[in-house]
Amino acid sequence: MTRRRFLDRTRRNREEQARSGKSFNPATMIRLAFFGVALVVAAAVYVGFWRQGETIYDGPWGLMQRLITPLFLDINALELIVMALVALVAWRIWRRL
């Protein structure tokens, strides 16, 4: 094998590896999901422990009542937001495959 063919093959392999690095990365998705779960747990701890005397409808959390009030067919706005986010993530994963 000549040196030129070897260098061409090496360059092609590096380019292919660079392109494959931009593809779907499950480890990144898992880290992102873990970060989202950590945010939800932190919010739950804040509401549960530091605001013990309040109910969800008192004070600054009163806005949550609008999110959990049924809109139609016993579906509330919070469920619709979660379904839209899950659909967005699924669509992005499907588009990358």
Side-chain angles (χ1 to χ4, degrees):
M1 179 184 316
T2 65
R3 178 132 175 96
R4 181 173 176 89
R5 281 184 19 202
F6 174 75
L7 291 175
D8 286 343
R9 188 181 66 182
T10 304
R11 182 181 50 81
R12 280 195 311 269
N13 286 342
R14 284 183 184 157
E15 289 173 357
E16 182 179 337
Q17 286 176 351
R19 277 193 307 259
S20 69
K22 295 178 182 176
S23 66
F24 175 71
N25 186 358
T28 303
M29 284 293 196
I30 291 170
R31 287 186 194 112
L32 187 62
F34 180 74
F35 182 68
V37 167
L39 286 176
V40 169
V41 168
V45 167
Y46 174 74
V47 171
F49 289 111
W50 291 332
R51 301 287 187 163
Q52 290 178 2
E54 292 182 4
T55 65
I56 191 104
Y57 306 111
D58 297 335
W61 297 101
L63 129 93
M64 291 295 287
Q65 183 176 6
R66 286 187 238 144
L67 291 176
I68 61 173
T69 303
L71 298 174
F72 63 96
L73 299 176
D74 281 340
I75 298 175
N76 56 37
L78 194 59
E79 290 171 346
L80 291 175
I81 292 170
V82 169
M83 285 189 289
L85 289 174
V86 168
L88 177 70
V89 169
W91 175 73
R92 289 197 57 173
I93 291 172
W94 181 66
R95 193 181 73 190
R96 286 188 180 259
L97 297 177

